[in-house]
């Protein structure tokens, strides 16, 4: 597969960036990512609203090993504080 994560690709990265992955990762790819992180590599993972469900991915399987998960909901502040909603900006 052309988009497969391999140790050779990870070796070339100072920071490995996954932006909105829309496919499920294999166990082998997760192991390569874990090895990369354990060897001092840096991973930046970005997902949008809806999390794993919306993006049809399984990244939480990796993140759970590091005490993190991506939720499928959105955090909205119940009281006004500078911004009304996470998608609004005060300019």
């Amino acid at each position: 597969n052309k988009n497969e994560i391999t140790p050779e690709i990870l070796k070339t990265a100072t920071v490995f960036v996954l932006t909105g992955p829309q496919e499920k990762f294999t166990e082998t790819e997760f192991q390569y990512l874990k090895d990369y992180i354990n060897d001092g590599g840096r991973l930046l993972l970005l997902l949008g609203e809806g999390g794993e469900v919306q993006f049809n991915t399984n990244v939480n399987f990796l993140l759970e090993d590091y005490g993190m998960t991506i939720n499928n909901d959105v955090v909205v502040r119940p009281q006004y504080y500078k911004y009304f909603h996470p998608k609004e900006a005060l300019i």
Side-chain angles (χ1 to χ4, degrees):
N1 184 347
K2 191 174 184 182
N3 297 320
E4 189 175 322
I5 296 171
T6 64
E8 294 76 29
I9 290 171
L10 293 170
K11 272 193 249 180
T12 65
T14 302
V15 176
F16 192 70
V17 180
L18 293 170
T19 54
Q22 297 183 352
E23 294 180 7
K24 297 201 184 299
F25 294 93
T26 66
E27 280 189 48
T28 304
E29 289 175 316
F30 279 138
Q31 190 57 55
Y32 291 155
L33 287 168
K34 287 178 189 179
D35 292 345
Y36 172 73
I37 292 166
N38 293 337
D39 289 341
R42 297 178 198 107
L43 174 66
L44 174 62
L45 173 61
L46 304 168
L47 275 185
E49 187 174 342
E52 276 192 331
V53 173
Q54 185 67 32
F55 283 77
N56 191 37
T57 187
N58 58 350
V59 295
N60 278 339
F61 184 79
L62 173 69
L63 297 177
E64 287 168 354
D65 285 350
Y66 300 95
M68 298 179 275
T69 59
I70 295 175
N71 293 336
N72 296 329
D73 58 355
V74 178
V75 176
V76 178
R77 183 184 296 274
Q79 301 91 9
Y80 171 76
Y81 176 79
K82 288 188 183 181
Y83 308 107
F84 295 104
H85 189 275
K87 295 181 181 175
E88 295 180 6
L90 181 62
I91 298 176

